[in-house]
Amino acid sequence: MSTDRSPHRSMQVVGAPRRSLFDAVRPADVQAAGDRIRGPGGVALAALRHAGVTGGELTPADAVVLGGRAFGTLRDGWMGAGEDDALALGYGVAAIRSRRTAGGRTWVLLRTAAFTQGATMEAAAMLPGLDPVRLCPVVVGPRDDADRIVGLLRAMGLSVHPADNDDAWSVLSALDHAVRDADDGATAVVATRASR
């Protein structure tokens, strides 16, 4: 029997603690990358490009679906979809990954403008009634749209995490909370920034 009485030796941890995104990602790196992106998405797009957020060689890589062409060139393994059907496609991808126990999650990056499309509105309204499949929509746009989109998604029954898309700490914190909520139900991040 060990006689070591140090507090670290005497503690017992039951189960694995959930790691935070901040354990794997340096916000300064995301901020620097996001500051170079002038189109829609900014810091949110930079965060999703970071292997610490979306997985890498040691863990199953997450799926990422970009809604529309506004977000630039696809990375390896990412999917592109029309702005009107990206959310529905994202749910389908997440459901398949869930049934195959592939692990990881599915992110769908959309502009706030997508919520003028009937198909996007319909898909968003359906999410709270569907099985949780670790789907995390990230909606980006101008700050003027924030209250409308947050209110709309909450009225549909989604758990919504607003973020300042000029601030990596804010975006990463919202993504981290969305990951927790996605295990239990429909969740979304709304990351808006001042118009440039």
Side-chain angles (χ1 to χ4, degrees):
M1 181 160 79
S2 172
T3 59
D4 187 342
R5 298 290 184 195
S6 72
H8 296 293
R9 287 282 185 180
S10 62
M11 289 193 320
Q12 290 187 348
V13 178
V14 179
R18 184 199 171 278
R19 288 172 55 88
S20 162
L21 290 182
F22 291 104
D23 294 331
V25 179
R26 290 184 65 241
D29 293 344
V30 174
Q31 188 72 56
D35 288 344
R36 292 192 295 270
I37 298 173
R38 295 295 169 214
V43 171
L45 180 56
L48 293 181
R49 286 176 174 171
H50 197 296
V53 175
T54 55
E57 294 178 0
L58 300 180
T59 60
D62 292 350
V64 179
V65 179
L66 299 184
R69 298 180 181 176
F71 299 108
T73 306
L74 292 172
R75 295 171 73 85
D76 287 346
W78 287 22
M79 289 161 276
E83 204 161 53
D84 57 342
D85 58 1
L87 199 52
L89 174 66
Y91 182 84
V93 170
I96 290 169
R97 288 170 66 95
S98 177
R99 290 192 183 101
R100 293 180 178 171
T101 62
R105 63 192 68 79
T106 302
W107 305 91
V108 180
L109 189 63
L110 294 167
R111 297 183 309 149
T112 54
F115 288 85
T116 61
Q117 305 279 340
T120 300
M121 296 282 282
E122 185 176 340
M126 292 290 292
L127 290 178
L130 299 173
D131 290 337
V133 291
R134 307 197 78 207
L135 174 70
C136 299
V138 180
V139 184
V140 300
R143 195 145 300 142
D144 294 347
D145 286 348
D147 290 343
R148 177 179 70 88
I149 298 298
V150 168
L152 178 68
L153 294 175
R154 284 184 175 154
M156 291 176 175
L158 280 79
S159 172
V160 181
H161 303 282
D164 176 354
N165 204 3
D166 285 318
D167 178 5
W169 281 93
S170 176
V171 169
L172 289 167
S173 178
L175 297 179
D176 196 48
H177 282 90
V179 168
R180 293 174 199 259
D181 288 354
D183 288 334
D184 300 318
T187 186
V189 170
V190 176
T192 56
R193 68 182 183 183
S195 300
R196 296 182 181 181

